[in-house]
Amino acid sequence: MEKSTEKKPVFIFRLLVLFLLTFCSSEIFAKRASYEYVRSLKFLKGQEYFFTLSDCTFYLDIKNVLPENVTVYVNSLPENVSFVSSKKEVLLPEPDSDDDIGTHIVMHLNFAKPGTYKIKSIDVIVNGIFYRLPFETVQVYENPRNLMPELSVEFDDETQVKKNKASVLAGENVEFTVYAKYAVQITNISWTLPKDSLFKETLRYDFAESSNLKSDFSDQKIPVISFSWQPLVSGKFSFPEIKIIALAYNGSHMEIKTPDYEFSVGKNEIKKEDESATGKNFENSFRENFPVENKSENTAMSFEELYNLVSLRNKERHSFPFFNKYRKERILVEEKFALENYENETSVVAVIILAVMSILLFAVSVFMIVTKKTYGTFICSFAFLLVFTATVICGIKCSEKHGIFKGGVIRPIPEKNVSSAAELKSGSLVCVQSEAGKWLYVKHNETYGWILKDDMYEIK
């Protein structure tokens, strides 16, 4: 009994010594973050893109330092930057690594305006040592819900554009590509055909063809469509207007158009010795979009016959629209000369009648509203909208300038000496699109071109 009592203090002493040795050895052999290592750290971006008015994440990983040995102090931040929150987490070592547990710091900041931000270093205490650690420089973009799609144009290397102005020669091709930015999807593409020039689509890219939404944000411009444009005459040209309906990041559909450019087109002086090659190619460019029609075998209408046709259309225009005898006579004349005039004259009398009906229906609708007759209000308002719409449409048709062409060539450009031109029959009905000096740009069915003012008898 006495021997066991004597051994007990010795056993306890040995356990105490073993514990102290284990503790001291763990402190001695444990990995510690060096001063140079911590000084080399900085807060990194936690996401690919930073946006205004949203929480933007930075993170800092410190290996071999427990979270309780790290303290972060947020100093003064730049203008338009505000502190949201921060937290410390345990950083587990990577597999097959000799590192010990570390600290993962997450910090959320908010940016009020877009721009490039370089945030000043903030105070961090690691294992009792004071450090000032910087942030990674970041680019902050406008919040996608506030971004509107944009269009831009890139020209080929041969077209030099400075400050939205360029100079080319008549007959030269201008190749360009339209790019979209901040668009999720392209739903429609349209353009206005420029006068006195050839214009065609050369390539439509996948982004314009795809029906899938591009949900991920991108600040890069994406090619949409390419064109070839060839001004045919000298002078000042506005750049072809191209409109695109694009889906924005906020879900709205926006109509956007290409920027405005001004082109100065100079005369293309073709040398005589080159006419066999270059001249023919330039001439063929007209024929591609303006084919020559065979001359009509019908005998040209005399002045009296033309005058009679114009007179019949004038009377048709100013007569009651129903049971119009002048329309019947005019149709017989046009059938006699095999004229393809598909449009009838819009009756001025009909426009006046519709306008009066619109006024009366509007007055009745107002009366119904005042007397609080719901059913009557609905019927009268609906009738008013229908009649008013018909009035506007007929009024627009009446305001268009029409005439009877005395016959001859219709040119792709307003010049007499043009080798390629289409020919229209005497008595053809033309609609004036625009005027340029003594020239008229007209439309006959699906044919467009220039004629002299003196070659058309206006229908009034």
Side-chain angles (χ1 to χ4, degrees):
M1 293 294 292
E2 292 179 1
K3 289 184 178 180
S4 62
T5 305
E6 290 176 0
K7 291 181 178 179
K8 199 170 186 179
V10 177
F11 177 73
I12 295 173
F13 176 75
R14 289 176 178 175
L15 285 176
L16 181 60
V17 171
L18 182 61
F19 172 77
L20 289 174
L21 288 174
T22 304
F23 177 78
C24 292
S25 62
S26 64
E27 288 293 319
I28 292 170
F29 295 105
K31 286 198 170 185
R32 297 178 63 87
S34 66
Y35 181 76
E36 289 75 14
Y37 163 70
V38 178
R39 280 195 61 187
S40 67
L41 299 176
K42 64 180 177 179
F43 286 87
L44 302 175
K45 291 171 56 178
Q47 57 205 67
E48 184 178 2
Y49 294 103
F50 279 10
F51 302 114
T52 58
L53 306 177
S54 64
D55 290 350
C56 302
T57 304
F58 290 90
Y59 73 93
L60 174 67
D61 288 339
I62 308 175
K63 298 178 181 179
N64 304 315
V65 179
L66 295 174
E68 56 264 28
N69 295 330
V70 178
T71 306
V72 179
Y73 298 94
V74 179
N75 306 328
S76 60
L77 294 172
E79 187 179 1
N80 300 318
V81 182
S82 58
F83 174 78
V84 178
S85 65
S86 68
K87 64 178 180 179
K88 294 184 293 183
E89 299 175 342
V90 173
L91 176 65
L92 297 175
E94 297 180 0
D96 303 328
S97 173
D98 296 333
D99 293 329
D100 293 331
I101 291 175
T103 302
H104 178 70
I105 301 173
V106 180
M107 184 175 296
H108 299 289
L109 301 180
N110 190 287
F111 298 86
K113 293 184 179 180
T116 303
Y117 287 85
K118 187 175 183 180
I119 302 173
K120 295 181 180 179
S121 302
I122 65 172
D123 299 338
V124 181
I125 297 177
V126 180
N127 289 331
I129 302 176
F130 176 85
Y131 298 90
R132 294 186 66 83
L133 300 182
F135 283 79
E136 180 182 3
T137 301
V138 295
Q139 177 69 37
V140 179
Y141 297 92
E142 186 68 55
N143 198 297
R145 64 174 178 264
N146 299 328
L147 283 174
M148 296 296 104
E150 301 173 1
L151 286 186
S152 59
V153 177
E154 284 193 6
F155 296 89
D156 61 352
D157 296 336
E158 297 180 1
T159 305
Q160 302 297 323
V161 179
K162 293 182 179 179
K163 296 181 179 180
N164 288 27
K165 292 185 178 181
S167 298
V168 295
L169 295 177
E172 286 185 350
N173 279 325
V174 179
E175 308 284 343
F176 64 93
T177 301
V178 179
Y179 289 80
K181 192 176 182 181
Y182 305 136
V184 176
Q185 186 184 40
I186 303 299
T187 58
N188 186 55
I189 305 174
S190 62
W191 55 85
T192 302
L193 296 177
K195 296 178 183 177
D196 305 329
S197 58
L198 304 178
F199 188 76
K200 64 178 180 179
E201 174 186 338
T202 57
L203 178 62
R204 189 168 294 217
Y205 293 85
D206 293 339
F207 184 44
E209 297 284 359
S210 176
S211 59
N212 297 326
L213 299 180
K214 187 177 69 64
S215 57
D216 295 336
F217 175 82
S218 174
D219 62 334
Q220 302 298 314
K221 56 186 182 181
I222 303 172
V224 178
I225 191 168
S226 295
F227 293 96
S228 176
W229 175 44
Q230 185 183 36
L232 300 178
V233 297
S234 59
K236 295 289 185 181
F237 277 77
S238 295
F239 188 67
E241 185 179 69
I242 300 162
K243 295 180 180 179
I244 289 179
I245 297 179
L247 182 65
Y249 283 106
N250 61 9
S252 62
H253 285 84
M254 306 289 298
E255 183 182 77
I256 49 179
K257 64 179 184 177
T258 49
D260 294 329
Y261 293 91
E262 183 180 289
F263 277 74
S264 297
V265 181
K267 290 185 178 181
N268 196 343
E269 301 293 340
I270 303 175
K271 295 180 181 180
K272 290 184 178 179
E273 57 268 24
D274 295 336
E275 286 181 355
S276 60
T278 310
K280 289 181 180 179
N281 291 336
F282 184 65
E283 180 180 321
N284 288 337
S285 66
F286 289 87
R287 293 196 176 101
E288 288 177 5
N289 286 315
F290 208 93
V292 178
E293 295 181 359
N294 293 327
K295 199 169 184 178
S296 172
E297 297 179 359
N298 293 44
T299 306
M301 297 177 69
S302 65
F303 172 77
E304 290 76 12
E305 290 168 332
L306 287 171
Y307 180 79
N308 179 52
L309 182 57
V310 173
S311 177
L312 288 173
R313 281 197 170 265
N314 281 332
K315 293 175 180 178
E316 177 186 348
R317 186 181 181 90
H318 295 278
S319 301
F320 195 74
F322 304 107
F323 310 108
N324 194 322
K325 65 176 183 178
Y326 301 111
R327 178 173 298 172
K328 294 179 180 179
E329 292 181 25
R330 186 260 305 169
I331 291 174
L332 291 175
V333 172
E334 290 176 343
E335 288 178 349
K336 175 183 176 182
F337 290 94
L339 297 174
E340 298 178 348
N341 296 339
Y342 301 127
E343 292 188 19
N344 294 321
E345 292 297 323
T346 304
S347 173
V348 176
V349 177
V351 175
I352 296 172
I353 293 172
L354 288 171
V356 172
M357 290 176 62
S358 298
I359 294 171
L360 292 175
L361 286 170
F362 178 75
V364 174
S365 299
V366 172
F367 175 76
M368 291 293 179
I369 293 172
V370 172
T371 56
K372 298 181 179 180
K373 295 182 179 180
T374 306
Y375 184 73
T377 301
F378 174 78
I379 297 297
C380 292
S381 299
F382 183 73
F384 165 72
L385 289 175
L386 287 178
V387 176
F388 180 74
T389 302
T391 304
V392 172
I393 294 173
C394 293
I396 293 173
K397 292 291 291 182
C398 273
S399 64
E400 292 178 348
K401 189 174 181 180
H402 290 77
I404 297 298
F405 184 46
K406 72 177 185 181
V409 294
I410 176 171
R411 301 165 174 84
I413 58 175
E415 293 181 7
K416 289 185 177 180
N417 299 323
V418 178
S419 58
S420 60
E423 185 162 338
L424 293 183
K425 301 175 184 177
S426 294
S428 295
L429 177 68
V430 293
C431 179
V432 179
Q433 306 293 304
S434 63
E435 300 183 23
K438 62 181 181 179
W439 293 92
L440 298 175
Y441 188 68
V442 299
K443 171 190 175 185
H444 171 72
N445 297 335
E446 297 302 321
T447 302
Y448 291 80
W450 293 90
I451 64 172
L452 290 168
K453 282 185 178 181
D454 294 340
D455 292 340
M456 188 194 80
Y457 303 105
E458 185 177 354
I459 299 168
K460 298 180 180 180

